[in-house]
Amino acid sequence: MDRTPIINIKNVSAGYSPDKIILKNINFTVYKNDFIGIIGPNGGGKSTLLKVILGLLKPLNGEISYKEKSYNKVNIGYLPQINTIDKDFPIKVIDVVLSGLMNGNPFKRFSRPEKQKAIDLLSKMGLEKYQNNPISKLSGGQMQRVYLCRAIINNPELLILDEPNTYVDKNFEKELYQHLIELNQKMAILLVTHDIGTISSVVKTIACVNEKLHYHNSNIISEEVLKTYNCPFELITHGHIPHRVLDNH
Amino acid sequence: MQEIISLLGFSFFSNAVIAGLLTSIIAGIAGTYIVSRKIVFISGGITHASFGGIGLAYFLGLNPFFGAAVFAVLSALGIEWSTQKAQVREDSAIAILWSLGMAIGIIFVFLTPGYAPNLMSFLFGNILTVTTTDIITMLALTVLLIAGITLFYRLILYIAFDQEYTKTLGFNTTIVRYIISIIIALSIVMSIRVAGIILLLSLFTIPQAIANIFTHDFKKMIFISIAFSFLGVLTGLIGSYYFNLPSGAIIIFTLIIFWSILKVTIKLFRTH
Ligand SMILES: Nc1ncnc2c1ncn2[C@@H]1O[C@H](COP(=O)(O)OP(=O)(O)OP(=O)(O)O)[C@@H](O)[C@H]1O
Ligand SMILES: [Mg+2]
């Protein structure tokens, strides 16, 4: 296994205001070829962690270092959690996919081969006939596939997916995981999901995020891992009972 | 027809046609951005806040459009700042800005000795009073808008669609949003002459609603909006010349008639 680190997070604390800390003292390294499943309760800070990695949210404390010096040079593909997007916006499906190729160039024009690449990806996801449709014509699950195309079109080194299986039917979910396993040959993947049943057969390792981050260096979701996953529910019912934190093994 | 062609000979009339065309282009581009991003209410706030600038400029004996531009740009930046900071639309803050601008404007107009002869034309628009200086200013803004949207089309489109994602592509989306909001504010101010503060927003939204009947593509929406907007402006121009009615009102009226006819026609075709 290639142990070249792509991203290194050191003692990072983050939140949307200094008086409400969402992530506390996170230490986390993403290596080349990693496929990490990130699980945790709603509001546990999974999306927040991704935003910190993507440079969308400045950490309150600690530091993040990337393989290269500045964030812009690490090629990251991102599929955001769906509930933030406006489906009425007048934009064509293919144009959404192409946005993944902007590469920080404000004058960007897309060439024929680039457009062809977007069409090929859409075909792979079974959406070629929608390429010139407005996004409002797509269902939620189809939209998720479009966002997956957008995330991978630039061949990123790291692919970050925030609950890509939302709205996706069981058939395509299987296909989606197959695509991800294939993509993992070329890129590291961070996958946030609540689907703990299926991911253990897909991801290589697991991290549980609930204010703190517990990294589990295996894909076996044992009772121990589930206990960590469930700890906030215990906290709610029984007050501040100290809970077990898994060691790295 | 003969009569209309001979009218073009009069400089005030051809000025009005040119001003109408330029306003259509300005409103077509800026309005498509406004409608797509669903910031119509914000734009309404900016429009009405600019009246405060008009009143103050009157009082101080300055060019009212200069006052309007200063107020519009400042309020646009203020709103953009608060949405970027809080990540939410602050509806009540916009409503306060909206009425505050109008209140300031009215107070200063009252304080100004004599009376404000053009007040009505600021509120309702009068395309027949457009001067050559107005046209030059409008032309400059039109060139800026066309150049901006042509050069940065993709960037503007993607920031409007999904700002957060575009930020991950390595763009300073915050600065771009501030620049866009300044240009939107100026576009609004430059359209006051033709449509007036009270009716102006319709010129930035109804042509887009018409365009939306035909397309759901940002670029096509711009072109179709400009075409319908110009058609509406021409009708308004003829109406205000022959019947001596405020141009803004006739323009809006025409556009709404277009919109209703098209909506009904499409509905009939769809159900058969
Ligand atoms: N933009 C924001 N501004 C302020 N607070 C936020 C913002 N986004 C999230 N939060 C808060 O941060 C906390 C963590 O949210 P986050 O979205 O990271 O959770 P999550 O683990 O991704 O949950 P889910 O499983 O529901 O997606 C929550 O308490 C949430 O209310
Ligand atoms: Mg989330």
Side-chain angles (χ1 to χ4, degrees):
Chain A
M1 212 176 187
D2 195 338
R3 296 270 85 184
T4 319
I6 299 177
I7 281 172
N8 190 19
I9 296 172
K10 226 171 163 182
N11 289 323
V12 163
S13 296
Y16 298 90
S17 68
D19 49 297
K20 196 184 169 228
I21 290 174
I22 311 286
L23 295 171
K24 218 178 234 164
N25 280 322
I26 304 279
N27 287 291
F28 187 45
T29 306
V30 182
Y31 296 95
K32 218 176 150 181
N33 296 323
D34 264 355
F35 193 157
I36 305 171
I38 299 176
I39 57 177
N42 291 132
K46 301 180 296 296
S47 300
T48 306
L49 174 66
L50 299 188
K51 281 180 190 169
V52 169
I53 294 174
L54 285 158
L56 293 172
L57 184 67
K58 252 197 152 128
L60 300 167
N61 261 313
E63 64 177 271
I64 308 169
S65 49
Y66 300 91
K67 195 187 72 187
E68 273 101 339
K69 284 268 150 42
S70 85
Y71 162 70
N72 288 344
K73 285 184 195 143
V74 181
N75 185 351
I76 302 180
Y78 174 46
L79 187 155
Q81 201 167 355
I82 202 156
N83 50 31
T84 54
I85 285 141
D86 172 21
K87 273 192 71 186
D88 294 334
F89 194 92
I91 188 169
K92 285 189 288 187
V93 168
I94 187 168
D95 288 332
V96 175
V97 178
L98 283 168
S99 67
L101 289 171
M102 286 296 279
N103 265 334
N105 175 5
F107 306 105
K108 185 73 185 170
R109 293 266 181 288
F110 295 113
S111 63
R112 271 263 118 236
E114 285 175 323
K115 285 180 184 164
Q116 192 54 49
K117 193 173 182 195
I119 295 169
D120 291 345
L121 276 178
L122 284 168
S123 307
K124 222 173 165 180
M125 302 290 159
L127 292 171
E128 67 276 21
K129 63 170 184 280
Y130 295 102
Q131 53 174 288
N132 287 315
N133 282 56
I135 56 165
S136 55
K137 290 267 191 306
L138 298 190
S139 71
Q142 290 170 325
M143 207 52 219
Q144 282 294 67
R145 301 184 212 180
V146 173
Y147 289 129
L148 181 64
C149 293
R150 176 177 77 169
I152 61 177
I153 192 169
N154 205 20
N155 305 318
E157 294 164 76
L158 172 63
L159 177 60
I160 293 181
L161 307 159
D162 201 347
E163 302 190 25
N165 49 340
T166 320
Y167 299 133
V168 165
D169 61 42
K170 281 288 158 212
N171 269 335
F172 186 73
E173 194 172 62
K174 263 199 207 113
E175 233 179 274
L176 170 73
Y177 290 143
Q178 216 45 52
H179 284 307
L180 294 185
I181 290 169
E182 204 180 297
L183 287 165
N184 187 223
Q185 310 287 320
K186 291 173 286 179
M187 58 189 77
I189 299 180
L190 282 182
L191 169 68
V192 170
T193 183
H194 290 291
D195 181 17
I196 46 170
T198 341
I199 60 153
S200 58
S201 58
V202 181
V203 301
K204 292 174 181 163
T205 55
I206 285 163
C208 175
V209 174
N210 178 33
E211 197 179 306
K212 289 189 176 277
L213 185 142
H214 317 292
Y215 187 66
H216 184 58
N217 199 3
S218 132
N219 65 349
I220 300 156
I221 302 186
S222 59
E223 211 154 285
E224 298 289 271
V225 180
L226 281 177
K227 232 179 232 160
T228 316
Y229 181 67
N230 282 329
C231 66
F233 307 117
E234 285 185 13
L235 279 177
I236 290 164
T237 43
H238 303 122
H240 285 274
I241 294 170
H243 54 283
R244 280 181 51 187
V245 174
L246 276 175
D247 300 322
N248 281 5
H249 36 235
Chain B
M1 203 64 211
Q2 207 69 40
E3 210 176 335
I4 293 171
I5 290 165
S6 64
L7 265 177
L8 286 169
F10 292 97
S11 91
F12 78 89
F13 203 80
S14 48
N15 266 2
V17 173
I18 296 167
L21 179 63
L22 295 177
T23 305
S24 300
I25 297 172
I26 292 169
I29 297 173
T32 300
Y33 179 86
I34 288 171
V35 169
S36 301
R37 264 201 61 205
K38 296 187 174 159
I39 50 168
V40 175
F41 187 55
I42 292 178
S43 311
I46 296 168
T47 308
H48 287 77
S50 74
F51 188 65
I54 289 176
L56 184 60
Y58 251 121
F59 183 70
L60 299 175
L62 301 168
N63 181 346
F65 281 100
F66 175 72
V70 171
F71 268 57
V73 167
L74 287 181
S75 47
L77 288 177
I79 293 169
E80 189 64 52
W81 178 80
S82 71
T83 50
Q84 296 269 359
K85 278 279 159 198
Q87 307 246 310
V88 284
R89 228 131 92 185
E90 294 187 81
D91 285 7
S92 15
I94 294 162
I96 290 170
L97 189 72
W98 183 307
S99 41
L100 180 67
M102 291 304 278
I104 292 174
I106 291 163
I107 288 171
F108 278 116
V109 167
F110 262 84
L111 287 178
T112 308
Y115 82 116
N118 288 330
L119 194 59
M120 280 294 275
S121 78
F122 281 118
L123 290 179
F124 298 105
N126 190 347
I127 196 169
L128 297 175
T129 59
V130 171
T131 63
T132 312
T133 322
D134 292 335
I135 289 192
I136 292 168
T137 330
M138 280 179 177
L139 187 65
L141 181 66
T142 310
V143 170
L144 181 72
L145 272 172
I146 293 175
I149 195 83
T150 313
L151 286 173
F152 304 107
Y153 176 70
R154 290 284 169 175
L155 182 60
I156 293 168
L157 174 72
Y158 294 140
I159 285 180
F161 171 57
D162 190 346
Q163 188 190 4
E164 195 169 71
Y165 178 79
T166 311
K167 205 170 168 187
T168 71
L169 296 169
F171 294 103
N172 190 336
T173 55
T174 314
I175 286 180
V176 179
R177 283 264 291 255
Y178 279 120
I179 295 171
I180 293 175
S181 61
I182 291 173
I183 294 176
I184 297 273
L186 293 177
S187 303
I188 287 172
V189 171
M190 288 319 297
S191 308
I192 292 177
R193 256 292 195 243
V194 169
I197 284 174
I198 291 174
L199 301 171
L200 184 154
L201 211 53
S202 343
L203 206 57
F204 285 66
T205 50
I206 304 173
Q208 281 72 12
I210 296 173
N212 240 323
I213 297 174
F214 300 103
T215 184
H216 288 276
D217 179 60
F218 195 84
K219 197 184 279 174
K220 286 185 193 143
M221 248 175 92
I222 292 177
F223 287 115
I224 299 175
S225 307
I226 292 174
F228 274 99
S229 177
F230 191 47
L231 216 58
V233 168
L234 285 182
T235 317
L237 192 52
I238 292 164
S240 62
Y241 181 78
Y242 282 104
F243 306 110
N244 201 22
L245 293 167
S247 52
I250 298 191
I251 294 169
I252 303 322
F253 207 62
T254 316
L255 287 173
I256 291 177
I257 289 173
F258 283 153
W259 179 80
S260 327
I261 292 174
L262 286 166
K263 266 284 185 202
V264 171
T265 319
I266 294 273
K267 253 232 152 74
L268 289 177
F269 272 100
R270 290 255 162 93
T271 45
H272 286 291

